[in-house]
Amino acid sequence: MAKRKFLFLYLDTGAGHKSAAKVLMQAMKAEDPDVEIQIVRGFSRHGMGHALFEKGYNYSCNYIHGLFPLTYDLGQNRVLQSLLKHVLAPETNHYLRKLIIKEHPTDIVCFHFGVSPAVKEVLKNIPWKINFTVLVTDPFTVPTPWFHERDLNYMVYSELAKKEAMRCGVPEKNITVIPFLMSPKYRIPITPQEVRELKIKHGFDPDKKIVLLVGGGEGLPGATEIVNQCLIHRANFSTAIICGRDVVIKRNFNLLRLANPRLDLHVFGFVDFLDELVKICDCAVIKAGPATLLEVLSCRKPVIICRYIHNQELGNMHFAVDHKVGYFIQKSRAIYKKINELLSDSSFDEKMKKNFDSIVIDTDASKVAKLLFQKNNA
């Protein structure tokens, strides 16, 4: 049997797309150590697609309030979707054709809706058969551009996503519901002694409670206002802030920490030990990205959702609130009040146990790996 080579295509719009690709790659290598997998950006770093999707996502989510909701709503229009596809086609098709010819994959898995239409066009002129799958990384509220191309094969995380695909005209036979792709390390419980050891390892007081502020690869919008509330009210808990790739905000928080030594603030950039920080925290303030939300909930930690991307992450927020393991609060003062309420309730953990027990999240990535290996390359 010919050796399989997979090309995983993603865009750098938040951390969820690439993290899902990495989890799937690990699962596939566990199934077949000889499989070759390349995780590659779907657009050139120097083109219009990169500017519109990757840089545009960062600025519209973190700096220009109101731009992303407008962009999101316009993006639902099929005519505008087609127009954008044709505008980007010359550069994206050229880039992807060169990439595919160079890597010569047997299979392509696309982790972003912005890339899949271009891949479909390029594959029409590739002189060998390539299995092509679109893996939809939004679990509950799925933007319609994911399903712009109705004749592709889709993997989705939920029945809700499957219904949306069918509503958009994708045949049911082209849709497979799969487990959520999340690192298995989040599902490994730790003992109270291990919690103390991890707190010490990462520089925390082992006897103080910890609030984690995390928003994914671009950091948490509104984190500055929340930290200011901790400063104003002289919080008696430790605050850990994950700044992601935002080096400017990380520098600013470090300056704030140095200027206010009584503020027990711990500042991190882009980390590869987020699971450890989640496991030692007592609650987390997050943006409702699917990866961050389900990672925190898998560790049975309550969440306060301070932001969600217009419509796209609405279903994620409702999932947490409806299961009574999360709260949607936008104002920094109210967020601080809720944090104190949660941390001061001695019976809170027992109250939450039943709610967390009601959540069943299948995260067995090996099932997804097996499905992809089963695709016939003949």
Side-chain angles (χ1 to χ4, degrees):
M1 185 177 181
K3 182 179 178 180
R4 302 284 285 274
K5 181 174 182 179
F6 286 78
L7 194 60
F8 287 180
L9 300 175
Y10 76 100
L11 291 183
D12 199 4
T13 55
H17 305 283
K18 190 174 183 181
S19 67
K22 287 181 175 179
V23 170
L24 183 54
M25 179 176 72
Q26 291 170 358
M28 295 184 74
K29 285 186 174 293
E31 291 289 322
D32 179 5
D34 293 326
V35 68
E36 188 174 349
I37 301 173
Q38 295 285 337
I39 301 178
V40 186
R41 269 190 168 92
F43 290 159
S44 166
R45 289 176 178 268
H46 309 291
M48 187 187 302
H50 168 69
L52 288 175
F53 279 87
E54 297 180 308
K55 284 188 174 295
Y57 174 87
N58 181 24
Y59 280 99
S60 63
C61 285
N62 295 307
Y63 303 109
I64 308 174
H65 298 295
L67 179 59
F68 190 89
L70 175 63
T71 305
Y72 181 94
D73 288 340
L74 290 173
Q76 305 305 297
N77 185 285
R78 196 167 183 85
V79 174
L80 290 177
Q81 292 173 26
S82 297
L83 178 62
L84 182 61
K85 170 185 170 182
H86 289 296
V87 168
L88 295 178
E91 73 173 39
T92 54
N93 291 10
H94 175 72
Y95 167 79
L96 287 168
R97 179 173 174 79
K98 282 183 64 177
L99 177 66
I100 292 169
I101 294 294
K102 175 187 174 185
E103 298 297 338
H104 207 283
T106 59
D107 300 77
I108 294 176
V109 182
C110 184
F111 291 80
H112 198 286
F113 60 81
V115 182
S116 51
V119 175
K120 177 186 172 182
E121 287 301 311
V122 170
L123 290 184
K124 291 177 181 178
N125 298 306
I126 295 296
W128 70 90
K129 183 182 183 299
I130 299 177
N131 299 313
F132 181 35
T133 304
V134 179
L135 199 151
V136 180
T137 56
D138 291 300
F140 304 117
T141 312
V142 184
T144 58
W146 275 109
F147 307 119
H148 179 87
E149 305 295 337
R150 296 167 179 163
D151 57 345
L152 299 179
N153 291 315
Y154 291 93
M155 289 183 167
V156 300
Y157 285 148
S158 69
E159 289 295 333
L160 280 175
K162 179 178 179 178
K163 288 178 182 177
E164 179 61 19
M166 294 172 65
R167 188 190 69 79
C168 291
V170 179
E172 185 174 8
K173 66 181 178 63
N174 288 18
I175 312 164
T176 305
V177 179
I178 60 170
F180 187 84
L181 293 175
M182 180 179 71
S183 172
K185 60 187 179 182
Y186 287 93
R187 302 305 295 266
I188 302 172
I190 60 175
T191 65
Q193 179 58 34
E194 288 172 323
V195 169
R196 287 185 65 85
E197 291 170 359
L198 283 176
K199 284 184 175 182
I200 294 169
K201 171 186 173 182
H202 293 297
F204 294 92
D205 182 336
D207 296 315
K208 289 181 73 172
K209 294 191 174 182
I210 299 174
V211 173
L212 179 64
L213 309 183
V214 57
E218 308 299 335
L220 178 67
T224 301
E225 291 83 357
I226 298 169
V227 172
N228 284 339
Q229 288 294 316
C230 297
L231 179 61
I232 292 168
H233 293 93
R234 298 180 180 180
N236 61 1
F237 51 80
S238 300
T239 303
I241 171 75
I242 311 295
C243 302
R245 287 177 285 263
D246 196 328
V247 294
V248 175
I249 198 71
K250 181 185 177 186
R251 182 190 64 201
N252 292 343
F253 277 126
N254 272 320
L255 290 173
L256 180 65
R257 176 180 59 84
L258 292 172
N260 299 273
R262 291 187 179 182
L263 176 65
D264 192 4
L265 181 63
H266 301 253
V267 184
F268 301 90
F270 199 90
V271 300
D272 59 3
F273 50 85
L274 180 60
D275 61 303
E276 295 183 356
L277 296 178
V278 171
K279 288 175 182 178
I280 64 176
C281 81
D282 294 276
C283 73
V285 183
I286 69 169
K287 183 177 78 70
T292 303
L293 175 67
L294 294 181
E295 285 164 359
V296 175
L297 294 185
S298 291
C299 294
R300 301 175 72 88
K301 305 294 181 177
V303 294
I304 298 172
I305 297 169
C306 64
R307 297 283 193 282
Y308 66 85
I309 292 179
H310 174 74
N311 285 345
Q312 184 176 354
E313 295 175 348
L314 178 64
N316 307 341
M317 182 271 287
H318 281 306
F319 179 83
V321 173
D322 291 348
H323 283 86
K324 298 181 180 179
V325 292
Y327 310 86
F328 176 54
I329 308 172
Q330 292 180 289
K331 294 185 181 297
S332 58
R333 184 178 298 179
I335 290 170
Y336 181 82
K337 182 179 178 181
K338 174 57 73 172
I339 291 170
N340 272 310
E341 178 186 318
L342 298 181
L343 299 188
S344 61
D345 185 351
S346 59
S347 62
F348 180 74
D349 289 344
E350 187 59 35
K351 292 176 185 175
M352 293 296 287
K353 183 179 183 302
K354 182 179 179 181
N355 297 340
F356 277 112
D357 287 344
S358 71
I359 299 176
V360 178
I361 305 172
D362 187 356
T363 60
D364 187 353
S366 68
K367 296 177 182 177
V368 189
K370 289 183 175 71
L371 286 170
L372 288 172
F373 280 130
Q374 287 169 7
K375 283 184 176 289
N376 195 323
N377 199 42

